[in-house]
Structure formats: structure tokens, C-alpha cells
Amino acid sequence: MAALNCANLSPENGTQKLDIAKRYLDEHCPLDNGSHTEVAHYVVYFNHLLAFFTDGRHCGLQAPKQFVALCGHRDDPSALLLKKADGLHIEIAFNRCGETGKNDAAHIDDIQVETALSTLENKAEPQLKRLWMSFLTGVQHTLCDTNSDKSFTGKNGDDYQFNL
């Protein structure tokens, strides 16, 4: 997986790591025109994700239904949640003051990908957990489906529910 390979890069290469993560976005959640590597700003407009480029162009996702939720304001989200064809998520986190975000045109501070795994904490009741992996830090963390520390607003305005 690209996230694992990216985690092996040195910390000085934050820009290089972010470029790899954006190419991952291009592969799994492509834009109608252009590349995530060229985006200067993302906004949510009438339940659609729009990407704006420095030259004034803008476009949406090739598959608009891949955008499922956000954190923050629609004009300036703090995070976006996309859903890949396999049903797993990609989170794009923004932070203008973050170590990576302050140097990125779109202020992307991290991109995390979700993988699902099943653990047998109790043989009678297996629990599904989520493993989130960061492209930039390589850090992995898990969270239980029933006790999520990630909360998003769905594009329709309702709380977004993670379903495995």
C-alpha cells in the first residue's frame, strides 16, 4: 500500500509525502479535470465537493457520490471524507497552521486512509474496528465502530454514520 511506503520517507520530505497522498487521491477519487496535486481550495456547494485551482478553474469529482461528509464549514472545511469504491474512507484534513498545511496551497495537513479489520476481543462477540493510516506520519490508530472518535456531518447535514 502506498501509505506504508510513504511512511518510510524522511520527515523532511513532507511535501513529497503529500504529493504521494494526492496521487493516491487521483487514483481512488479522481477529479473531473486536473489533479488533486493542483488544487488550491476545496468547498462543498449544494452537497457536491468542488475543487478550485490557482488559475480560477474548478471541477468536481468524477464520481460525485464519493464525497460523503465534512467537518467544519462548507466554504472552509477542516476535513473532508471521501468513500472509495470498496466502501472504505479517505480523510483529507486541513490546517493552515499545521506543519504540512502551512506549506500546501490547499492547506492539506494530512491524508488518512481507512482499512477494516476484525478483532476477537471476546470470542463470542467479535468487534469490527477501523484502522486509519496517515500518509504523512505513517501513524496507525484504531477505533471501534460503536465508539468513534471521528465525527462528521454528512453532505445532507445529518451526522455521518460509519458503516462496515
Side-chain angles (χ1 to χ4, degrees), residues 72-131:
H73 195 275
R74 292 175 173 265
D75 290 338
D76 193 21
S78 58
L80 296 169
L81 194 64
L82 307 176
K83 196 175 210 179
K84 299 187 307 180
D86 63 8
L88 297 173
H89 296 87
I90 300 171
E91 179 185 352
I92 305 170
F94 303 93
N95 183 349
R96 293 183 190 310
C97 301
E99 195 61 37
T100 304
K102 66 184 175 187
N103 298 315
D104 181 61
H107 304 293
I108 296 175
D109 202 46
D110 196 6
I111 296 177
Q112 294 186 16
V113 295
E114 173 197 28
T115 62
L117 58 130
S118 177
T119 61
L120 294 175
E121 292 180 7
N122 177 341
K123 289 183 183 183
E125 295 181 39
Q127 287 188 330
L128 291 176
K129 290 192 174 188
R130 299 171 184 285
L131 174 66

Side-chain angles (χ1 to χ4, degrees), residues 27 34 44 56 76 81 95 126 129 140 145-146:
E27 182 179 333
V44 178
D76 193 21
L81 194 64
N95 183 349
K129 290 192 174 188
Q140 303 175 15
D145 189 44
T146 57

Side-chain angles (χ1 to χ4, degrees), residues 41-50 61 64-83 89-94 132 149-162:
H41 191 67
Y42 293 91
V43 300
V44 178
Y45 184 72
F46 287 104
N47 299 336
H48 292 280
L49 179 63
L50 292 179
L61 294 169
K65 68 181 180 180
Q66 286 188 294
F67 166 64
V68 294
L70 73 146
C71 286
H73 195 275
R74 292 175 173 265
D75 290 338
D76 193 21
S78 58
L80 296 169
L81 194 64
L82 307 176
K83 196 175 210 179
H89 296 87
I90 300 171
E91 179 185 352
I92 305 170
F94 303 93
W132 288 87
D149 65 349
K150 291 181 180 281
S151 62
F152 291 88
T153 302
K155 61 184 175 183
N156 65 358
D158 295 338
D159 288 344
Y160 183 77
Q161 300 295 317
F162 285 93

